Amino acid sequence: LPTNSGRGVAFSAVGDPQTAYNEYVAVGHDSSPYVAAYPWSGSGFGSKYSNPSTLPANVGNGVNFSPDGSVLAVAHYTSPYVTAYPWSGSGFGTKFSNPATLPTNTGWGVSFSPDGSVLAVTHNTSPYVSAYPWSGSGFGSKYSNPSTLPASTSYGVNFSPDGSAIAVAHYASPYVSAYPWSGSGFGTKYSNPATLPANQGNGVNFSPDGSAIAVAHNTSPYVSAYPWSGSGFGTKYANPATLPTGNGLGVAFSPDGSAIAVAHNTSPNVSAYPWSGSGFGTKYSNPATLPTATGKGVDFSPDGSVLAVAHSTSPYVSAYPWSGSGFGTKYANPSTLPANTCNGVAFGRIEV
């Protein structure tokens, strides 16, 4: 089974380029304290923040900041399966109260809606996805389950950029399920894509303009991408000419939509491609210093200048400058490493 909830590195949304921000990076990992967070700057990782006073209950899988950077949420093994904290320049605040209706088992993925009003969690047992209103007070009363549930254990979850849809990657066919989303919660499930992902869906993400949806999955071609519209899935794009080398565990588009990256379980552990309305372009050269083992999550920074990968052996997280030429020289490792296998990573930013 996969060990990353969201199957992706999750960066907060792009803000006004004239606005100043403080930036942070958080990772979920296998050993206590199960989550670690660092300041982020043009120099890379800063000194690790103090651990939260109340730790996640067990292995940290998915991790994500709210769009305004004021909350950090962690999906994890062991009840309550999702934990959320206020976040500021001082680090972790006092843990929010657990939701009144918990996810039903191990939390894998966690995602906020684009306006920050909803928090969704994917998990091991039915209904496989749970969504809650979110406010400054924390979790609201759980939304009703979708009328057609995901087919099985669900790993990745993401909202479309306009918040009108939510997609879930899961273990059993059709491997991805998508639903309209509104203030009332889940709508009637969209029809499955005509050409399904080849096997277990691990990560799912929408392009920044909402015109495409991509799924990272087990079995060749390891990533599948589709046009997306108000009607749902379009005809699958052609596979990349050079495929990822193993099971796709995370997928992300760059903020300007010009690139797509996939984290996968064999060397080089991450693959990136130009992206356009025609689909995948010619694969970028591998980074000079590869992630050290299985890539479990990937995403771009809000301004598209960094690409980060969560992976299974030390240093557990690797970050690279990103440009139109592809990968730059790897940033130095954090001085205090995550405690073990890194399953999810998220960048957040707070306006200053």
Side-chain angles (χ1 to χ4, degrees):
L1 291 179
T3 54
N4 176 351
S5 58
R7 278 298 160 278
V9 179
F11 290 75
S12 61
V14 180
D16 182 336
Q18 303 304 313
T19 303
Y21 294 93
N22 288 330
E23 297 190 335
Y24 315 94
V25 59
V27 293
H29 49 78
D30 274 6
S31 300
S32 182
Y34 309 118
V35 63
Y38 308 84
W40 179 266
S41 70
S43 301
F45 297 94
S47 298
K48 179 180 174 289
Y49 284 99
S50 298
N51 299 331
S53 56
T54 304
L55 300 182
N58 208 311
V59 172
N61 289 317
V63 61
N64 217 328
F65 287 91
S66 61
D68 66 359
S70 68
V71 180
L72 176 59
V74 185
H76 51 81
Y77 277 73
T78 312
S79 181
Y81 310 116
V82 63
T83 297
Y85 305 90
W87 181 263
S88 71
S90 301
F92 295 94
T94 302
K95 177 183 175 289
F96 286 100
S97 297
N98 298 332
T101 304
L102 299 182
T104 53
N105 207 311
T106 296
W108 292 106
V110 62
S111 181
F112 287 91
S113 62
D115 65 0
S117 68
V118 182
L119 178 60
V121 186
T122 48
H123 45 85
N124 258 17
T125 55
S126 182
Y128 308 116
V129 62
S130 296
Y132 305 87
W134 183 265
S135 71
S137 301
F139 295 94
S141 298
K142 180 178 174 289
Y143 286 99
S144 297
N145 299 331
S147 56
T148 303
L149 299 181
S152 60
T153 295
S154 295
Y155 300 117
V157 60
N158 259 305
F159 289 87
S160 63
D162 65 0
S164 68
I166 183 172
V168 180
H170 47 81
Y171 176 79
S173 181
Y175 311 116
V176 63
S177 295
Y179 306 85
W181 183 266
S182 71
S184 302
F186 295 95
T188 302
K189 181 179 176 288
Y190 286 102
S191 297
N192 298 331
T195 304
L196 300 182
N199 205 313
Q200 174 179 311
N202 296 314
V204 62
N205 223 324
F206 291 88
S207 64
D209 65 0
S211 68
I213 184 171
V215 184
H217 53 81
N218 291 2
T219 308
S220 182
Y222 308 115
V223 62
S224 296
Y226 308 85
W228 180 263
S229 70
S231 302
F233 296 95
T235 302
K236 180 180 175 288
Y237 286 101
N239 298 331
T242 303
L243 299 181
T245 55
N247 292 342
L249 301 178
V251 62
F253 291 89
S254 63
D256 66 359
S258 68
I260 184 171
V262 183
H264 47 84
N265 71 346
T266 53
S267 185
N269 306 311
V270 63
S271 296
Y273 307 85
W275 180 263
S276 71
S278 302
F280 295 94
T282 302
K283 181 179 177 287
Y284 287 101
S285 297
N286 298 331
T289 304
L290 300 181
T292 52
T294 295
K296 297 194 166 193
V298 63
D299 209 356
F300 295 85
S301 63
D303 64 0
S305 68
V306 181
L307 177 60
V309 185
H311 50 87
S312 60
T313 60
S314 183
Y316 307 115
V317 61
S318 296
Y320 305 86
W322 181 263
S323 71
S325 301
F327 295 93
T329 302
K330 180 179 174 287
Y331 285 100
N333 299 332
S335 56
T336 303
L337 297 182
N340 206 317
T341 293
C342 202
N343 301 312
V345 57
F347 277 65
R349 46 165 43 174
I350 296 176
E351 184 177 338
V352 295

